């Protein structure tokens, strides 16, 4: 139980284009979803927290207009990297937290590797 | 600001050796503590967690961790490692008043040699 998927698993795009990454909780309702960014050989850095039906809360230094987050349902959150540039190339990971016993722990997706040319 | 530190960035062990990975946090209040593992090419998986009660916590795959409040530490241990334990290990903490946000340590890359 508590499986989180991400799509796509990797994406290559041209500079200036926008990329959408999906995060889905497959077997539970995710009341809260988190988006992280991981640089090579570094730890996960939280970008934003989203609760279903409300606006995302962004961490300091994260541009909300560049990284658009939508948590439209209890099983889906999307991260859109707008006008992507090479410095946005990274590994993006989502996690989800549910209700009850699933509230205590974040369950992570497999990540999406983004390469901006 | 609250922070989490992992002192060992790279650890190389032979099979059957004992493992201890350090994790310390800086915060005077209540914390929840986690260890996650990331095998090569795979996603983060929860090894174990501590919220309250017995400070010695047992997790999956023979791992355990001990919360020592006076030392602000939550070290991960395994008495005998296997080649399949080669992975990156992350300590993570949530702090009261932090909205259940996880703060991760920088990770420890463990390589187990045959």
């Amino acid at each position: 139980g508590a499986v989180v998927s991400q799509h796509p698993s990797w994406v290559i795009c041209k500079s200036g284009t926008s990329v959408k990454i999906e995060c889905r909780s497959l077997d539970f309702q995710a009341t809260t979803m988190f988006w992280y960014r991981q640089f090579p050989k570094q730890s996960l850095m939280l970008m934003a927290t989203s609760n279903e039906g409300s606006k995302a809360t962004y961490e300091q230094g994260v541009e909300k207009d560049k990284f658009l987050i939508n948590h439209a349902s209890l099983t889906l959150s999307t991260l859109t990297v707008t006008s992507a540039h090479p410095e946005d190339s990274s590994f993006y990971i989502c996690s989800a937290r549910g209700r009850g016993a699933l509230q205590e722990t974040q369950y992570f997706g497999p990540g999406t590797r983004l390469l901006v040319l | 600001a609250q922070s989490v530190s992992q002192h060992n960035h790279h650890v190389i062990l032979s099979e059957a050796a004992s493992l201890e990975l350090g994790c310390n946090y800086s915060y005077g209040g209540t914390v929840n503590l986690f260890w996650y593992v990331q095998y090569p090419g795979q996603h983060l998986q929860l090894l174990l967690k501590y919220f309250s009660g017995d400070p010695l916590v047992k997790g999956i795959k023979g791992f355990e961790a001990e919360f020592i409040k006076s030392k602000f530490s939550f070290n991960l241990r395994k008495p005998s490692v296997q080649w399949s334990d080669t992975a990156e290990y992350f300590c993570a903490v949530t702090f009261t008043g932090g909205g259940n946000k996880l703060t991760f340590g920088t990770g420890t890359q463990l390589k187990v040699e045959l």
Side-chain angles (χ1 to χ4, degrees), chain B residues 6 21 35-37 47 63 76 85 87-90 107-108 110:
Chain B
Q6 291 180 242
L21 301 181
W35 275 98
Y36 283 89
V37 60
L47 271 180
F63 286 92
L76 181 71
D85 292 325
E88 188 148 21
Y89 292 80
F90 292 96
T108 298
L110 171 66

Side-chain angles (χ1 to χ4, degrees), chain A residues 61-107:
Chain A
V62 178
E63 299 175 58
K64 62 180 181 180
D65 294 329
K66 180 166 188 63
F67 298 100
L68 300 178
I69 291 171
N70 185 291
H71 191 165
S73 77
L74 284 172
T75 59
L76 173 65
S77 176
T78 60
L79 168 67
T80 301
V81 184
T82 62
S83 186
H85 290 284
E87 58 266 29
D88 299 324
S89 298
S90 190
F91 194 51
Y92 293 88
I93 304 172
C94 75
S95 70
R97 196 177 68 211
R99 295 191 179 101
L102 296 179
Q103 190 179 25
E104 297 178 339
T105 304
Q106 290 184 30
Y107 297 91

Side-chain angles (χ1 to χ4, degrees), chain A residues 43 59 97 104-106 109-110, chain B residues 36 49 51 100-101 104-105:
Chain A
S43 188
E59 295 300 299
R97 196 177 68 211
E104 297 178 339
T105 304
Q106 290 184 30
Chain B
Y36 283 89
K49 61 187 178 185
F51 289 169
N100 280 313
K101 294 189 294 186
F104 281 86

Side-chain angles (χ1 to χ4, degrees), chain A residues 4 34 36 38 41-44 46 49 59 91 93 97 101 103-111, chain B residues 10 32 34 36 38 41-46 49 51 88 90 94 99-102 104-107:
Chain A
V4 177
F34 303 84
Y36 295 84
Q38 186 180 26
K41 300 189 185 302
Q42 294 188 29
S43 188
L44 283 76
L46 180 65
T49 303
E59 295 300 299
F91 194 51
I93 304 172
R97 196 177 68 211
Q103 190 179 25
E104 297 178 339
T105 304
Q106 290 184 30
Y107 297 91
F108 285 81
Chain B
H10 292 90
N32 293 329
F34 305 80
Y36 283 89
Q38 190 173 30
Q42 296 189 29
H43 63 278
L44 280 163
Q45 299 174 39
L46 181 67
K49 61 187 178 185
F51 289 169
E88 188 148 21
F90 292 96
T94 61
N100 280 313
K101 294 189 294 186
L102 279 171
F104 281 86
T106 51

Side-chain angles (χ1 to χ4, degrees), chain B residues 33-100:
Chain B
L33 301 152
F34 305 80
W35 275 98
Y36 283 89
V37 60
Q38 190 173 30
Y39 296 103
Q42 296 189 29
H43 63 278
L44 280 163
Q45 299 174 39
L46 181 67
L47 271 180
L48 48 78
K49 61 187 178 185
Y50 172 82
F51 289 169
S52 64
D54 189 343
L56 184 61
V57 180
K58 294 192 184 299
I60 60 172
K61 305 187 181 188
F63 286 92
E64 65 178 31
E66 185 175 13
F67 172 47
I68 303 179
K69 190 174 181 179
S70 61
K71 294 185 178 180
F72 302 93
S73 70
F74 189 56
N75 292 355
L76 181 71
R77 298 195 293 250
K78 186 171 184 178
S80 176
V81 294
Q82 301 173 310
W83 177 80
S84 57
D85 292 325
T86 294
E88 188 148 21
Y89 292 80
F90 292 96
C91 179
V93 182
T94 61
F95 305 96
T96 52
N100 280 313

